[in-house]
Amino acid sequence: MNKWVYTFGNGKAEGDASMRNLLGGKGANLAEMNKVGLPVPPGFTVTTEVCTYYYNNDHSYPADLKDQVREAVAYVEGIMGKKFADANNPLLFSVRSGARVSMPGMMDTVLNLGLNDETVKALAKASGSERFAYDSYRRFLQMFSDVVLGADLDLYEEALENMKKSKGYKSDTDLTAEDLKELVKEYKEIGLKIGKVVPQDPWEQLWAGIGAVFGSWMVDRAITYRKLNNIPGDWGTAVNVQTMVFGNAGDDCATGVCFSRDPATGENVYYGEYLVNAQGEDVVAGIRTPQPMASKGDGTSLEEKWPHLYQELVDVRNNLEAHYKDMQDMEFTIEEGKLFFLQTRNGKRTANAALRIAVEMVDEGLITTDEALLRVEPKQLDQLLHPAFDQAALKAAKALGKGLPASPGAAAGKIYFTAEEAKAAAEAGDRVILVRLETSPEDIEGMAASQGILTVRGGMTSHAAVVARGMGTCCVS
């Protein structure tokens, strides 16, 4: 019998960092983080071999996969003292992809899986917050409808924006429990109207979520990203099913993304952003502008707000970098004042940063000179020759606006507002600047065709910033 599922949690794991090809980068690192004692929500990884089987066998699964997944769910239930699909004390999951090479934002994710009309009431009772429970439920309905059912995300975003406008709210966090209940009702009505109804059975949700992740391996944006980065199509992705921890459960909760060094310059400083009362997708999607991790003296940083948690993050940063001997890109959640790590991976960086990090890590005794030479890819040397603005001319120029320097460089061109228009214009010979409210994985072809990217929303760790840095494209958020 083949082993298709590997569990992790409570300081134990069936895998480790060496099993990247089988467990994917994320799954291998989740297992490894458990073994080195980091606070990681328990879960399990469905291997890349299942993805290969899925595509070789007409989108079907191995006969014994279902039993192995049920055993893995039971294992997590035992650690958490909660039950999946239970109407009294429900266990909720996130379902995420994890290829052996990082493909940020290119494949599908579902959060808050396991919520339905009954379990949302149990979550409200257990947490003591109806607002938090229904905020999680509306997020789940919106994400599942988009990612798994292929519904038009704009329909749900429009309902959310209309609700905020009618109430005079500026932010999602202004919505009350009653507002969110009404929004849940509206989302369900949208699903009925367009024939894309989210199932109430959590087990049906789970299998649909797993299928959506495997399915996303072959969507256009993922194929394009693999071509741009020379990633073989037959590698497949793993699926990581992990216990939900909540950054949106109140003002003592947060979510964030951080790098052990500055991915734009390579400077050895702790670099990252966080959002209070939010979930991870809010940071990556750039829906709200996040706050910095390190102190800037204005009281907004995580270091000033929660100094003890910041110190815990610094300790983890140091441990992970020493363990992996490379710059790390980490995602974390703070739930009711407790820190959890959701993933770590070798971080995307600019060519300048790659050069500086490689040299400084040799000086610090972390890596050898030979290892440093292999850290800078040949195509990154091209990025070192990227254009920059003439500093004297810049001083004389009039700025139209300002933003965050998400990815270095200089660019000029005609503005286009959709990825499709940007791609077509570039193919016609135009120099293109792609301007979006925020970018999403669907914009990958337009981003690749652009000289520069400008987003209205988002920060230094949003989708636009991370992908642009990996491409060596200038980006302002």
Side-chain angles (χ1 to χ4, degrees):
M1 187 173 95
N2 279 338
K3 185 168 176 60
W4 307 108
V5 179
Y6 288 73
T7 58
F8 56 86
N10 226 10
K12 298 174 184 171
E14 293 183 310
D16 58 44
S18 70
M19 297 167 70
R20 171 179 293 271
N21 291 0
L22 182 66
L23 302 179
K26 189 174 293 183
N29 285 334
L30 285 168
E32 189 76 9
M33 285 195 292
N34 259 282
K35 288 188 166 179
V36 299
L38 293 187
V40 176
F44 57 91
T45 300
V46 182
T47 68
T48 56
E49 289 179 347
V50 178
C51 187
T52 305
Y53 185 101
Y54 178 82
Y55 282 106
N56 288 344
N57 292 275
D58 197 25
H59 294 190
S60 65
Y61 297 121
D64 48 352
L65 179 66
K66 192 161 276 192
D67 286 341
Q68 290 188 30
V69 167
R70 283 195 173 270
E71 286 170 15
V73 168
Y75 172 81
V76 178
E77 287 173 339
I79 294 173
M80 297 302 297
K82 298 178 179 181
K83 284 193 78 68
F84 185 59
D86 183 62
N88 297 310
N89 191 18
L91 176 65
L92 303 179
F93 286 125
S94 65
V95 178
R96 291 183 169 95
S97 63
R100 64 170 87 170
V101 174
S102 173
M103 294 172 55
M106 291 304 121
M107 287 179 292
D108 287 337
T109 294
V110 183
L111 303 180
N112 308 302
L113 191 141
L115 281 174
N116 60 24
D117 292 348
E118 294 305 313
T119 55
V120 70
K121 293 173 190 170
L123 183 63
K125 189 176 177 184
S127 65
S129 171
E130 271 198 324
R131 193 211 170 275
F132 152 65
Y134 282 90
D135 180 50
S136 300
Y137 195 19
R138 69 95 185 165
R139 288 170 181 270
F140 168 66
L141 290 171
Q142 182 172 333
M143 191 175 262
F144 193 96
S145 300
D146 169 35
V147 167
V148 181
L149 302 179
D152 182 354
L153 184 60
D154 288 345
L155 295 172
Y156 300 85
E157 288 286 350
E158 196 178 324
L160 175 61
E161 290 304 317
N162 288 342
M163 168 76 75
K164 290 194 307 198
K165 200 178 287 182
S166 69
K167 303 277 184 177
Y169 299 153
K170 287 185 178 177
S171 172
D172 297 1
T173 53
D174 296 328
L175 293 163
T176 67
E178 293 308 313
D179 296 332
L180 290 160
K181 282 181 184 177
E182 184 60 35
L183 201 56
V184 162
K185 195 174 160 191
E186 279 188 49
Y187 280 4
K188 287 162 81 174
E189 284 169 1
I190 291 169
L192 277 170
K193 200 178 291 181
I194 61 175
K196 295 185 184 293
V197 177
V198 177
Q200 287 285 302
D201 178 2
W203 282 101
E204 194 180 334
Q205 295 172 8
L206 179 58
W207 283 106
I210 290 169
V213 172
F214 285 140
S216 68
W217 178 251
M218 285 298 179
V219 297
D220 290 344
R221 63 178 185 265
I223 292 168
T224 300
Y225 188 89
R226 287 201 293 276
K227 282 179 183 170
L228 290 169
N229 292 278
N230 301 314
I231 300 169
D234 59 1
W235 279 1
T237 181
V239 178
N240 298 290
V241 180
Q242 195 172 13
T243 303
M244 278 297 300
V245 286
F246 298 98
N248 62 319
D251 290 336
D252 59 350
C253 304
T255 187
V257 176
C258 51
F259 294 80
S260 59
R261 302 189 187 214
D262 188 323
T265 68
E267 186 182 356
N268 190 359
V269 293
Y270 201 6
Y271 178 100
E273 297 174 319
Y274 79 108
L275 276 172
V276 174
N277 202 9
Q279 287 197 336
E281 294 301 299
D282 299 347
V283 179
V284 177
I287 292 163
R288 288 155 55 194
T289 302
Q291 300 301 329
M293 298 265 295
S295 174
K296 288 196 169 181
D298 60 3
T300 63
S301 72
L302 194 146
E303 184 177 8
E304 292 159 293
K305 186 175 177 66
W306 293 309
H308 63 293
L309 288 174
Y310 180 76
Q311 188 53 53
E312 202 177 327
L313 280 158
V314 169
D315 292 343
V316 170
R317 166 218 181 196
N318 296 337
N319 290 341
L320 284 177
E321 199 171 83
H323 186 77
Y324 285 102
K325 302 187 187 307
D326 202 351
M327 186 263 277
Q328 293 300 294
D329 167 0
M330 300 156 275
E331 289 180 21
F332 66 90
T333 289
I334 296 165
E335 180 183 83
E336 295 177 349
K338 188 176 178 190
L339 180 66
F340 294 92
F341 273 83
L342 307 183
Q343 77 164 32
T344 191
R345 59 190 175 193
N346 293 340
K348 300 285 182 194
R349 64 205 77 176
T350 63
N352 284 319
L355 197 62
R356 179 170 177 175
I357 290 167
V359 170
E360 290 186 358
M361 282 190 166
V362 172
D363 293 342
E364 293 160 21
L366 277 174
I367 58 175
T368 65
T369 306
D370 286 350
E371 286 171 326
L373 289 169
L374 293 172
R375 289 283 170 89
V376 184
E377 296 174 22
K379 68 178 181 179
Q380 286 183 306
L381 296 176
D382 171 58
Q383 288 180 32
L384 289 171
L385 306 174
H386 271 201
F389 287 116
D390 179 277
Q391 290 303 308
L394 260 191
K395 284 175 184 168
K398 184 185 175 187
L400 291 172
K402 63 179 182 177
L404 297 169
S407 182
K414 295 178 182 176
I415 287 174
Y416 290 89
F417 293 101
T418 71
E420 293 78 12
E421 290 170 344
K423 183 188 174 195
E427 286 171 351
D430 279 350
R431 294 165 62 84
V432 169
I433 305 292
L434 177 64
V435 179
R436 303 284 285 148
L437 276 175
E438 67 238 3
T439 62
S440 74
E442 279 73 23
D443 295 322
I444 185 69
E445 289 188 299
M447 295 172 79
S450 301
Q451 266 70 47
I453 298 162
L454 172 66
T455 66
V456 176
R457 301 176 185 149
M460 305 289 278
T461 54
S462 63
H463 176 267
V466 172
V467 175
R469 279 197 296 269
M471 290 177 167
T473 301
C474 178
C475 176
V476 176
S477 305

